[in-house]
Coordinates of all heavy atoms in Angstrom, one line a residue:
K1 N 130.7 27.0 -112.9 CA 130.9 25.9 -111.9 C 132.4 25.9 -111.6 O 133.2 26.1 -112.5 CB 130.5 24.5 -112.5 CG 129.0 24.4 -112.8 CD 128.7 23.0 -113.4 CE 127.2 22.9 -113.7 NZ 126.9 21.6 -114.3
F2 N 132.8 25.7 -110.4 CA 134.2 25.8 -110.0 C 134.5 24.6 -109.0 O 133.7 24.4 -108.1 CB 134.4 27.1 -109.3 CG 135.9 27.5 -109.3 CD1 136.4 28.4 -110.2 CD2 136.7 27.0 -108.3 CE1 137.7 28.8 -110.2 CE2 138.0 27.3 -108.3 CZ 138.5 28.3 -109.2
K3 N 135.6 23.9 -109.3 CA 136.0 22.8 -108.4 C 137.6 22.9 -108.4 O 138.2 22.3 -109.2 CB 135.5 21.5 -108.9 CG 135.9 20.3 -108.0 CD 135.4 19.0 -108.6 CE 135.7 17.8 -107.8 NZ 135.2 16.5 -108.3
R4 N 138.1 23.5 -107.4 CA 139.5 23.7 -107.2 C 140.1 24.3 -108.5 O 139.8 25.4 -108.9 CB 140.2 22.3 -106.9 CG 139.7 21.7 -105.6 CD 140.0 22.6 -104.4 NE 139.5 22.1 -103.1 CZ 139.7 22.7 -102.0 NH1 140.4 23.8 -101.9 NH2 139.3 22.1 -100.9
N5 N 141.0 23.6 -109.2 CA 141.6 24.1 -110.4 C 140.7 23.8 -111.7 O 141.2 24.0 -112.8 CB 143.0 23.7 -110.6 CG 143.1 22.2 -110.8 OD1 142.2 21.4 -110.4 ND2 144.2 21.7 -111.4
K6 N 139.5 23.3 -111.5 CA 138.6 23.0 -112.6 C 137.5 24.0 -112.6 O 137.0 24.4 -111.6 CB 138.1 21.5 -112.4 CG 139.1 20.4 -112.4 CD 138.4 19.1 -112.1 CE 139.4 17.9 -112.1 NZ 140.4 18.0 -111.0
Y7 N 137.1 24.4 -113.8 CA 136.0 25.3 -113.9 C 135.3 25.2 -115.2 O 135.8 24.7 -116.2 CB 136.5 26.7 -113.6 CG 137.6 27.2 -114.5 CD1 137.4 27.7 -115.8 CD2 138.9 27.1 -114.0 CE1 138.5 28.1 -116.5 CE2 140.0 27.6 -114.8 CZ 139.8 28.1 -116.0 OH 140.8 28.5 -116.8
R8 N 134.1 25.7 -115.2 CA 133.3 25.8 -116.5 C 132.5 27.1 -116.4 O 131.7 27.3 -115.5 CB 132.4 24.6 -116.6 CG 131.5 24.7 -117.9 CD 130.5 23.5 -118.0 NE 129.8 23.6 -119.2 CZ 129.9 22.8 -120.2 NH1 130.7 21.7 -120.1 NH2 129.3 22.9 -121.4
V9 N 132.7 28.0 -117.4 CA 132.0 29.2 -117.5 C 131.2 29.2 -118.8 O 131.7 29.0 -119.9 CB 133.0 30.4 -117.6 CG1 132.3 31.7 -117.7 CG2 134.0 30.4 -116.4
D10 N 129.9 29.5 -118.7 CA 129.0 29.4 -119.8 C 128.3 30.7 -120.0 O 127.6 31.2 -119.1 CB 127.9 28.3 -119.6 CG 128.5 26.9 -119.6 OD1 129.1 26.5 -120.7 OD2 128.4 26.2 -118.6
F11 N 128.4 31.2 -121.3 CA 127.6 32.3 -121.8 C 126.7 31.7 -122.8 O 126.7 30.5 -123.1 CB 128.5 33.4 -122.5 CG 129.4 34.2 -121.5 CD1 130.7 34.1 -121.6 CD2 128.8 35.0 -120.6 CE1 131.6 34.8 -120.8 CE2 129.6 35.8 -119.7 CZ 131.0 35.7 -119.8
T12 N 125.8 32.6 -123.3 CA 124.8 32.1 -124.3 C 125.5 31.7 -125.6 O 125.1 30.8 -126.3 CB 123.7 33.1 -124.6 OG1 124.4 34.3 -125.0 CG2 122.9 33.4 -123.4
D13 N 126.7 32.3 -125.9 CA 127.3 32.1 -127.2 C 128.6 31.3 -127.1 O 129.2 30.9 -128.1 CB 127.6 33.4 -127.9 CG 128.5 34.4 -127.0 OD1 128.6 34.1 -125.8 OD2 129.0 35.3 -127.6
Q14 N 129.1 31.1 -125.9 CA 130.4 30.4 -125.8 C 130.6 29.9 -124.4 O 129.9 30.3 -123.4 CB 131.6 31.3 -126.2 CG 131.7 32.6 -125.4 CD 132.7 33.5 -126.0 OE1 133.9 33.3 -126.0 NE2 132.2 34.6 -126.5
S15 N 131.6 29.0 -124.2 CA 131.9 28.4 -123.0 C 133.5 28.2 -122.8 O 134.2 28.1 -123.8 CB 131.3 27.0 -122.8 OG 129.9 27.0 -122.9
L16 N 133.9 28.3 -121.6 CA 135.3 28.0 -121.3 C 135.3 26.9 -120.3 O 134.7 27.0 -119.2 CB 136.0 29.2 -120.8 CG 137.6 29.1 -120.6 CD1 138.2 29.1 -122.0 CD2 138.1 30.3 -119.8
I17 N 136.0 25.7 -120.6 CA 136.0 24.6 -119.8 C 137.4 24.2 -119.5 O 138.2 24.1 -120.4 CB 135.2 23.4 -120.5 CG1 133.8 23.9 -120.9 CG2 135.2 22.2 -119.6 CD1 133.1 22.9 -121.8
C18 N 137.7 23.9 -118.2 CA 139.1 23.5 -117.8 C 139.0 22.4 -116.8 O 138.3 22.4 -115.8 CB 139.8 24.7 -117.2 SG 141.5 24.3 -116.6
D19 N 139.9 21.4 -117.1 CA 139.9 20.2 -116.2 C 141.2 20.2 -115.3 O 141.6 19.2 -114.7 CB 139.8 18.9 -116.9 CG 141.0 18.6 -117.8 OD1 141.9 19.5 -118.0 OD2 141.1 17.5 -118.4
G20 N 141.9 21.4 -115.3 CA 143.2 21.5 -114.6 C 144.4 21.2 -115.4 O 145.5 21.5 -115.0
K21 N 144.2 20.6 -116.6 CA 145.3 20.3 -117.5 C 145.1 20.9 -118.9 O 146.0 21.3 -119.6 CB 145.5 18.7 -117.7 CG 145.9 18.0 -116.4 CD 146.0 16.5 -116.6 CE 146.4 15.8 -115.3 NZ 146.5 14.4 -115.5
T22 N 143.8 20.9 -119.3 CA 143.5 21.3 -120.7 C 142.3 22.3 -120.6 O 141.5 22.2 -119.7 CB 143.0 20.1 -121.5 OG1 144.0 19.1 -121.6 CG2 142.7 20.6 -123.0
I23 N 142.3 23.3 -121.5 CA 141.3 24.3 -121.6 C 140.6 24.2 -123.0 O 141.3 24.1 -124.0 CB 141.8 25.7 -121.4 CG1 142.4 25.9 -120.0 CG2 140.7 26.7 -121.6 CD1 142.9 27.3 -119.7
W24 N 139.3 24.1 -123.0 CA 138.5 24.1 -124.2 C 137.7 25.4 -124.3 O 136.9 25.7 -123.4 CB 137.5 22.9 -124.2 CG 138.2 21.6 -124.2 CD1 138.4 20.8 -125.3 CD2 138.6 20.8 -123.1 NE1 139.0 19.6 -125.0 CE2 139.1 19.6 -123.6 CE3 138.5 21.0 -121.7 CZ2 139.6 18.6 -122.8 CZ3 139.0 20.0 -120.9 CH2 139.5 18.8 -121.4

């Protein structure tokens, strides 16, 4: 999922989530 500088990438084993300020 992508929204400007925000994104969420999901694999079966992990995810990368960003709100434009912080990355999890």
